[in-house]
Amino acid sequence: MHPTTQMLENARERVTFPIEELTKLIYVNEEIYETFMKAQKIIANEPTIRNHPDYHNWSRKQQIIKSYEKLRIMHQHFNLANAVHWAPLLSIFQGTTPTAVSFAMTVPALRFLGTDEQFNLWGPKFLTMEIVAAYAQTEIGHGSDVQNLETTATYDPQSNDFILHTPSVSAVKFWPGELGFLSNYALVYAKLIFNGKNKGVHPFMVQIRDNFTHKTLKGVTVGDIGPKLGYSTKDNGFLAFDNYRIPLNSMLARYVRIENGQFSRHGNEKISYASMMVSRQLIIFIYPRMAAQALTVAIRYSITRQQFTNDKGVENSVIEYQTQQDKLLPRLATCYGMIFTGIRIMQLVDDNFHRVQKKDFSTLQQSHAILSAIKAYSSQWVVDTTEWCRLSCGGHGYAHYSGIPAAYFDTAPNVTLEGENQVMYLQVARYLLKVLQYAEKNPEKVPFYFSFVLQIKDTLNNKDLSNINTQLGYLLKLSLTIQLIQVGKRIKDLMNTGKTFQQVWNEHVGIHLLSLAQRYAEYFIYLVFQEYISNANSSVKDILQSLCDLYCVQTILDNSSTLIESGQITQEQLKSLNELKIELFTKIKPQAIGLVEAFNFNDNALRTCIGCHDGKPYEYIYDWATKENSVNKVPQAVIDLMGTKIKPKL
């Protein structure tokens, strides 16, 4: 057996919990797990679509063409309209998955904002890919500020249709995925102008390319915006209209209608939030699993990579060094919390959808707040984790062959797309302040996951921290509670000086609001983590509790200033938390290989040569560099250059 293979096998033998029990928790149910394993196998075994070592030497055009070949083959095996089928592909494909935007954003919007007749007209055509539709909301001049979008849809009473128009460069739709050249339709968000009055921004289902030739229709200008950081194979596009006429039925009309020349509203337009939740939910559900891929590579490599000798003259695996454990183990612990949170949020969103369809909007605001908090927190955490995994692999971590740089590039855009993170946090903070008011005036309105506001007095009055290591969840709640009270008081005090609420919000408390929202995200993850531990098989409860404790300790240590400044904890107690962290490293390190292999990624999905199941990092990286690297075919330009006698110009 190869020495590095033996190292991994020895590490696996030290694992003391049944790995399959964690796998069951990670993949929710048998359908998701079986679909994921089937997708991994198909991609690995199909030569035309398997992940290729030379991928990052290809041009962007080559990568895009390959992504469509993959889509065509996967469409033969899976129902890509079902998120259970296509969502797993996001983490195991090289490059982004075509049609993800169409299915994850446009279809839900059509279902919730369109009438039954409209959904029956267009919906089935998405399943056969007769329609692929971009979600065209963002403009060059406006992203998160939807109410100030400039594209107009003017109702023409003479012809009973709309004139769609882009009045300026800043009004050009810019960034929508799959718009560049894949989509033949777009769900366009535009200001409805009716009888000369602005009736607000509404969605319009608009054909932009011919169904047979795929040529751009007259009055439409559309194309790809060019290369960017990450999402290289996603054809993010631009879209402009020149007095482009679209039929009356283009406007999604479940909640707003124009009938017999009259404009009317029906129901609760807040349903538009519900359709936007799907894409954020998927970011939270899928992308922590890409961090899990990076952690799998980094931990396997840390076991097989040996550097510097110990007292016995034997080289140490780098995982034995405390500094390496500090890079990886807290992030591994948090990864489990993130994955469980993604599952819980999927359940919350599904519950909210069922309620909304029955015109019950009681959970809409809390669902939006939780989604916003975790979308912002998890997307930044995933990017940071992939970067730390890369750093933990030393020089080889920089190579695309490690599989880690691709994980970074594939996840970095999520910090901005589908709600810029700081904007998301501000919305969370606004809701937290509203819930604080509920606690004072209408406590029955406080949702379960915000019930900490009903316990403020008890939280602040609990001074018994004699055994701080057993009160980690309480410390997270205490930090959140203190910040909420402080922000509320600060806003009130500043408004008493004559400042308007808008001035205070924009100019004086922004940093405090972001911190408050982050503390809520951390506390929510803890609550979900504890739910999963209580429901887990007894054979994995201990390791899950150790992971949860490490998540809490690291989170408290990273953000301890509130607790210290308010006098809630002492320097000695802080020292005790640091000692607990080291104790948890000792517990978790022998289990680390089992914890990452519970994710069950095959080598092809990991896209790695340094974190393979059988080890051999040096053999594989040399093999890929010498046999799979197309750049080693010396270009003629180099031959011509070296064959030229250049006379230096002095």
Side-chain angles (χ1 to χ4, degrees):
M1 186 179 292
H2 191 277
T4 56
T5 308
Q6 188 65 60
M7 290 178 197
L8 287 171
E9 287 303 314
N10 291 343
R12 289 172 183 128
E13 289 175 6
R14 289 191 287 270
V15 174
T16 59
F17 64 87
I19 294 174
E20 64 276 6
E21 288 299 326
L22 286 188
T23 303
K24 290 177 186 176
L25 291 177
I26 290 166
Y27 289 99
V28 192
N29 59 49
E30 194 169 326
E31 182 186 8
I32 292 177
Y33 179 67
E34 292 300 326
T35 302
F36 176 73
M37 296 306 291
K38 179 182 176 183
Q40 282 200 117
K41 186 175 181 180
I42 289 171
I43 294 172
N45 294 336
E46 174 59 58
T48 60
I49 63 171
R50 68 169 303 158
N51 296 332
H52 199 286
D54 202 40
Y55 179 82
H56 294 284
N57 279 329
W58 299 352
S59 70
R60 182 169 176 246
K61 284 185 178 180
Q62 288 174 296
Q63 291 177 350
I64 290 170
I65 290 169
K66 181 61 69 173
S67 72
Y68 291 129
E69 289 178 7
K70 290 178 181 179
L71 178 68
R72 179 179 54 78
I73 291 173
M74 297 307 288
H75 200 67
Q76 297 168 3
H77 294 278
F78 298 101
N79 171 15
L80 296 184
N82 183 345
V84 170
H85 284 208
W86 64 258
L89 307 184
L90 296 177
S91 64
I92 55 179
F93 259 166
Q94 277 179 310
T96 53
T97 308
T99 73
V101 171
S102 185
F103 285 130
M105 297 184 68
T106 308
V107 171
L110 179 59
R111 177 178 286 114
F112 288 107
L113 302 179
T115 63
D116 292 342
E117 292 78 10
Q118 288 175 316
F119 187 77
N120 291 335
L121 172 64
W122 293 307
K125 295 179 181 178
F126 281 87
L127 306 183
T128 59
M129 290 184 65
E130 290 177 70
I131 290 179
V132 175
Y135 189 88
Q137 178 176 292
T138 299
E139 297 175 352
I140 287 181
H142 293 90
S144 301
D145 186 10
V146 177
Q147 63 185 351
N148 285 314
L149 294 178
E150 298 178 62
T151 302
T152 58
T154 304
Y155 175 68
D156 183 347
Q158 301 300 318
S159 53
N160 198 31
D161 60 8
F162 299 104
I163 302 171
L164 203 57
H165 187 61
T166 304
S168 65
V169 171
S170 62
V172 173
K173 298 296 180 184
F174 209 84
W175 285 108
E178 295 157 16
L179 178 61
F181 39 77
L182 178 61
S183 294
N184 54 355
Y185 278 73
L187 189 64
V188 178
Y189 281 76
K191 285 191 299 189
L192 172 60
I193 308 300
F194 182 81
N195 289 343
K197 294 180 180 178
N198 179 3
K199 294 293 185 178
V201 173
H202 298 281
F204 298 81
M205 189 69 171
V206 181
Q207 185 172 357
I208 57 175
R209 290 184 170 100
D210 185 88
N211 287 336
F212 300 101
T213 66
H214 208 64
K215 289 183 178 179
T216 304
L217 298 178
K218 187 177 180 181
V220 177
T221 302
V222 64
D224 180 84
I225 65 171
K228 49 206 176 286
L229 189 154
Y231 281 23
S232 62
T233 60
K234 182 67 68 177
D235 56 327
N236 298 84
F238 58 82
L239 176 65
F241 300 99
D242 183 10
N243 293 306
Y244 184 63
R245 287 190 177 269
I246 57 176
L248 183 67
N249 192 42
S250 299
M251 184 173 72
L252 300 192
R254 184 175 292 275
Y255 297 99
V256 291
R257 295 176 196 165
I258 296 176
E259 293 177 309
N260 302 318
Q262 298 297 314
F263 174 82
S264 61
R265 299 180 188 272
H266 304 269
N268 191 330
E269 289 181 82
K270 289 181 180 178
I271 185 67
S272 60
Y273 289 120
S275 62
M276 293 167 62
M277 287 180 180
V278 174
S279 54
R280 291 175 188 166
Q281 168 200 318
L282 287 170
I283 288 172
I284 296 165
F285 181 78
I286 292 296
Y287 288 95
R289 295 162 192 267
M290 294 188 75
Q293 290 173 294
L295 284 162
T296 302
V297 171
I299 285 173
R300 280 181 178 167
Y301 181 67
S302 296
I303 293 170
T304 59
R305 174 75 165 175
Q306 293 181 298
Q307 294 287 287
F308 309 110
T309 55
N310 58 24
D311 293 340
K312 298 178 182 178
V314 178
E315 282 190 303
N316 282 324
S317 293
V318 296
I319 194 67
E320 299 300 324
Y321 294 105
Q322 193 179 80
T323 52
Q324 188 77 346
Q325 295 167 32
D326 195 36
K327 289 188 186 86
L328 296 174
L329 297 187
R331 296 187 177 279
L332 177 58
T334 304
C335 189
Y336 270 83
M338 289 291 185
I339 286 174
F340 295 153
T341 299
I343 297 167
R344 187 72 187 99
I345 281 180
M346 182 173 64
Q347 294 163 346
L348 289 173
V349 170
D350 286 346
D351 176 68
N352 181 62
F353 279 165
H354 290 309
R355 291 173 183 269
V356 162
Q357 287 175 316
K358 298 174 184 176
K359 298 185 178 179
D360 173 4
F361 298 92
S362 61
T363 63
L364 185 58
Q365 284 190 324
Q366 65 157 316
S367 298
H368 173 69
I370 292 171
L371 264 176
S372 297
I374 304 303
K375 182 272 172 186
Y377 193 87
S378 70
S379 60
Q380 185 62 60
W381 175 84
V382 169
V383 175
D384 292 344
T385 295
T386 56
E387 174 65 357
W388 275 108
C389 287
R390 183 185 66 78
L391 293 170
S392 75
C393 292
H396 293 319
Y398 282 85
H400 266 300
Y401 292 159
S402 73
I404 298 176
Y408 177 89
F409 287 117
D410 288 346
T411 58
N414 295 332
V415 173
T416 303
L417 59 79
E418 300 316 312
E420 194 276 334
N421 280 0
Q422 290 195 352
V423 174
M424 294 290 95
Y425 278 140
L426 291 174
Q427 292 178 9
V428 176
R430 191 182 295 272
Y431 184 71
L432 286 167
L433 291 167
K434 181 184 290 188
V435 170
L436 181 60
Q437 291 179 332
Y438 288 161
E440 296 169 355
K441 299 174 183 178
N442 305 99
E444 71 281 358
K445 288 188 175 182
V446 176
F448 171 75
Y449 283 113
F450 295 86
S451 60
F452 76 95
V453 299
L454 300 175
Q455 305 153 11
I456 287 176
K457 284 186 179 180
D458 291 340
T459 301
L460 296 177
N461 292 333
N462 181 7
K463 298 294 184 181
D464 182 17
L465 287 173
S466 54
N467 189 358
I468 196 170
N469 293 355
T470 64
Q471 294 183 284
L472 302 175
Y474 165 71
L475 290 175
L476 291 176
K477 181 166 71 169
L478 179 60
S479 183
L480 168 61
T481 300
I482 291 170
Q483 288 201 19
L484 178 58
I485 297 299
Q486 288 177 343
V487 169
K489 184 177 184 303
R490 184 174 177 82
I491 291 173
K492 186 176 180 180
D493 290 347
L494 286 167
M495 289 182 67
N496 285 339
T497 67
K499 291 181 172 62
T500 66
F501 177 80
Q502 208 63 33
Q503 281 180 303
V504 173
W505 189 269
N506 292 336
E507 301 170 20
H508 298 280
V509 296
I511 295 172
H512 304 285
L513 295 169
L514 295 182
S515 179
L516 169 63
Q518 289 162 357
R519 300 297 80 76
Y520 176 73
E522 291 161 355
Y523 182 59
F524 180 83
I525 293 166
Y526 162 76
L527 292 176
V528 173
F529 219 143
Q530 286 300 310
E531 287 178 5
Y532 268 79
I533 292 170
S534 64
N535 294 321
N537 185 285
S538 59
S539 61
V540 294
K541 280 183 184 288
D542 285 348
I543 186 61
L544 287 176
Q545 190 60 60
S546 293
L547 291 172
C548 185
D549 288 348
L550 181 54
Y551 160 73
C552 291
V553 170
Q554 189 66 59
T555 301
I556 293 163
L557 291 173
D558 287 344
N559 304 284
S560 58
S561 59
T562 298
L563 297 173
I564 295 172
E565 290 170 6
S566 61
Q568 296 290 337
I569 62 173
T570 65
Q571 291 294 333
E572 281 301 312
Q573 288 171 322
L574 202 62
K575 180 181 176 183
S576 177
L577 289 172
N578 274 298
E579 290 170 352
L580 175 60
K581 174 180 168 180
I582 303 308
E583 289 175 22
L584 289 166
F585 283 0
T586 304
K587 284 184 179 180
I588 294 170
K589 185 197 70 173
Q591 314 300 328
I593 187 69
L595 290 167
V596 295
E597 293 193 344
F599 301 128
N600 230 341
F601 294 111
N602 66 19
D603 289 345
N604 183 70
L606 293 174
R607 295 164 274 181
T608 186
C609 62
I610 67 170
C612 295
H613 188 270
D614 62 350
K616 304 179 186 178
Y618 309 143
E619 288 81 359
Y620 286 136
I621 198 168
Y622 183 69
D623 187 64
W624 285 18
T626 56
K627 298 178 181 177
E628 303 289 354
N629 182 5
S630 60
V631 172
N632 281 325
K633 298 173 183 176
V634 180
Q636 185 62 41
V638 174
I639 298 170
D640 293 343
L641 173 66
M642 300 309 293
T644 302
K645 293 182 178 179
I646 300 174
K647 294 181 180 179
K649 202 168 187 179
L650 301 177

